[in-house]
Amino acid sequence: ILQEVEIASESPRLWVRNTTNVAGLASHIASLGENLGFDVVRLDNADCSTTQLQDVCNSEQTLIVAKESLQLTRASDRLEEMLEAEVEYIEVQDLKRADVVIYVGQDFEDYVDQKEKALPK
């Protein structure tokens, strides 16, 4: 594991929620998060229509929400770089269980496919 010291020392809690029908996307992101130093506290499937984020959550686009205390931190910067998505700092119920919640969308499957194609064979 190549954890980043700055992130690991803060040990931000990460919850990954798969909003798609594609199995394994949440565990893939969880592995990436653990490698960075996040403490993965939960993985599950989510239906965007049952969350507080119905207006911004959909199964097409990955959504990252984080507590305001993580704004301008290495942890949020690395998540944005890693997932090629912006972190939103909005208060939602799910942030009572974790510091960061990632709602994995279909776009992440395309991201994984591109990364795997770029690997040398």
Side-chain angles (χ1 to χ4, degrees):
I1 295 178
L2 302 172
Q3 292 187 341
E4 292 194 18
V5 175
E6 189 176 341
I7 296 172
S9 68
E10 296 169 355
S11 197
R13 295 170 301 141
L14 178 63
W15 181 5
V16 186
R17 310 197 73 189
N18 188 354
T19 67
T20 74
N21 293 325
V22 181
L25 290 182
S27 59
H28 192 83
I29 286 184
S31 294
L32 294 172
E34 283 176 339
N35 285 342
L36 287 176
F38 285 86
D39 177 17
V40 178
V41 295
R42 190 169 181 180
L43 294 173
D44 67 6
N45 294 316
D47 180 347
C48 285
S49 67
T50 63
T51 70
Q52 282 181 281
L53 303 167
Q54 296 168 9
D55 53 336
V56 290
C57 181
N58 64 63
S59 62
E60 299 298 316
Q61 188 75 32
T62 297
L63 173 65
I64 308 167
V65 294
K67 290 184 175 177
E68 276 193 44
S69 60
L70 287 180
Q71 202 164 5
L72 302 174
T73 64
R74 181 73 179 146
S76 63
D77 289 347
R78 288 296 284 135
L79 280 176
E80 287 181 338
E81 291 170 15
M82 180 179 73
L83 300 177
E84 299 176 2
E86 268 190 52
V87 176
E88 301 287 334
Y89 302 96
I90 50 180
E91 288 302 314
V92 293
Q93 191 73 22
D94 288 348
L95 289 176
K96 290 186 177 189
R97 297 182 181 174
D99 301 308
V100 178
V101 181
I102 300 174
Y103 300 88
V104 186
Q106 191 71 39
D107 61 330
F108 189 71
E109 181 182 25
D110 299 337
Y111 168 87
V112 171
D113 288 346
Q114 288 174 5
K115 295 293 182 191
E116 287 177 355
K117 287 177 185 169
L119 293 174
K121 303 227 183 240

